Amino acid sequence: MRLLFLAVLRPHTGNAVTAQRVRDHLEAAGHVCLLRDAFDFDGPSEVAGLIRAEALEAALALHLYRAGRLLQGHGIPFGVIFGGTDLNEDISQGEKKQVMGKVLEEARFAVAFTESMKAAACLQWPQAEGKIYVQSQGIATAPNASFDWGAFLQRAGISRGAHGVHVFLLICGLRHVKDPLYLVDAFSEWHQEEEPSAYLVIVGPEVDPVFTREVKAKVERAAGVRLLPEMPQEDLHAVIQNCFALVNTSVSEGMSAAILEAMDLEVPVLARNIPGNAAVVQHGVTGLLFSDPQVEDFVQLAQGLLRDPALRGAMVARGREYVQTRHSWRAERDTYQSLIRTLEQGADRQDPLTRASP
Ligand SMILES: *[C@@H]1O[C@H](CO)[C@@H](O)[C@H](O)[C@H]1NC(C)=O
Ligand SMILES: *[C@@H]1O[C@H](CO)[C@@H](O)[C@H](O)[C@H]1NC(C)=O
């Protein structure tokens, strides 16, 4: 089939990554999939023009409000995927909620990433329950096999001391909500006074230029802390694989792909205790959660991890198991490929996922 896929594709957002992965799933099944940014269209008539010009037969939207509403009324079948802000924000605004309800009514299927997202949607639109499927986001990591870790450390200005190097990695767009400076003081003090092998390396795109200057100035003065620009995904995965632990300090909502990628790569995770992280990281089992940067908390957990290789080993084994069972890339591929078949002309309305399973 020739498919249109509308999503919000701002770079460095989870949505853009998810959309590209779903497009890959659909193309792997032999479909042609035009992925476009919903914000590039002024309204449904522009979308109608594209559908005609490209002879598109069906469509998919990631985000009911921002993308799904552009798919209505064109006479081609479509499916939708709930975006985070659909259910966190837009659902509580009268007019937006109404629009989303209409989109959902017209859609042949809807996908929610979690059971709780589905529950939130069903509370609002109980009649749609039968067509809302839960499919968690699939995680696939592909570290660059020829990545040069030594050169990376050199670039970061880190030399291996007598006790080796332990890199704590923070992958993070430089924005206030990601709070990249949260640990800097405590970490730097720990590095200077107790653990000279420990370094905090912050890697990420400069999203907010003013804030970036602030981060740079602060990092320059902090011993044991480094800042590096963003890098291609394969290289980033190689860095995760080589680092001692992945750190997450964000206060923002949502699910951290980096945390799941680290788990997949058998690297321990130290994450700030916020709902999004606590949903993924079970403290002491699949990773560690901290609430405070100071000695009592982050530093103590980091130290424990350094001193106790058995704890580290057990945790990474369970983290990987969690990702492979709960965020299987293969399962995600199967789900989208079966759901998209329900958009084919004359497709019967039998439950696509029951039919797909052997
Ligand atoms: C992998 O790493 C090597 C060495 O750093 C680099 O030359 C190459 O471009 C990287 N490949 C990819 C796909 O990122
Ligand atoms: C950390 O986790 C949160 C919530 O899970 C996520 O939104 C954020 O993007 C993650 N990344 C960073 C750099 O903190």
Side-chain angles (χ1 to χ4, degrees), residues 41-53 69-74:
F41 296 92
D42 278 333
S45 66
E46 283 187 15
V47 176
L50 181 68
I51 290 172
R52 261 196 317 274
R69 72 192 148 114
L70 295 169
L71 295 181
Q72 288 177 282
H74 301 304

Side-chain angles (χ1 to χ4, degrees), residues 339-355:
L339 286 175
I340 224 70
R341 280 201 292 272
T342 66
L343 302 181
E344 269 165 41
Q345 259 197 340
D348 61 43
R349 297 305 181 90
Q350 206 185 332
D351 189 317
L353 298 192
T354 337
R355 189 176 48 184

Side-chain angles (χ1 to χ4, degrees), residues 128-209:
E129 185 174 358
K131 60 174 160 186
I132 304 179
Y133 298 86
V134 175
Q135 175 56 56
S136 61
Q137 307 214 48
I139 293 294
T141 52
N144 179 352
S146 49
F147 188 76
D148 187 340
W149 178 242
F152 172 81
L153 291 178
Q154 216 163 30
R155 204 145 42 88
I158 297 174
S159 53
R160 289 182 216 254
H163 304 286
V165 169
H166 297 100
V167 170
F168 290 75
L169 179 69
L170 177 59
I171 300 170
C172 182
L174 301 184
R175 288 157 53 193
H176 280 284
V177 286
K178 304 289 177 179
D179 212 358
L181 297 176
Y182 183 65
L183 291 174
V184 167
D185 289 330
F187 200 100
S188 188
E189 198 181 308
W190 182 47
H191 167 86
Q192 278 177 293
E193 291 172 12
E194 281 178 70
E195 200 55 70
S197 76
Y199 286 86
L200 177 65
V201 176
I202 305 171
V203 178
E206 304 182 355
V207 182
D208 171 343

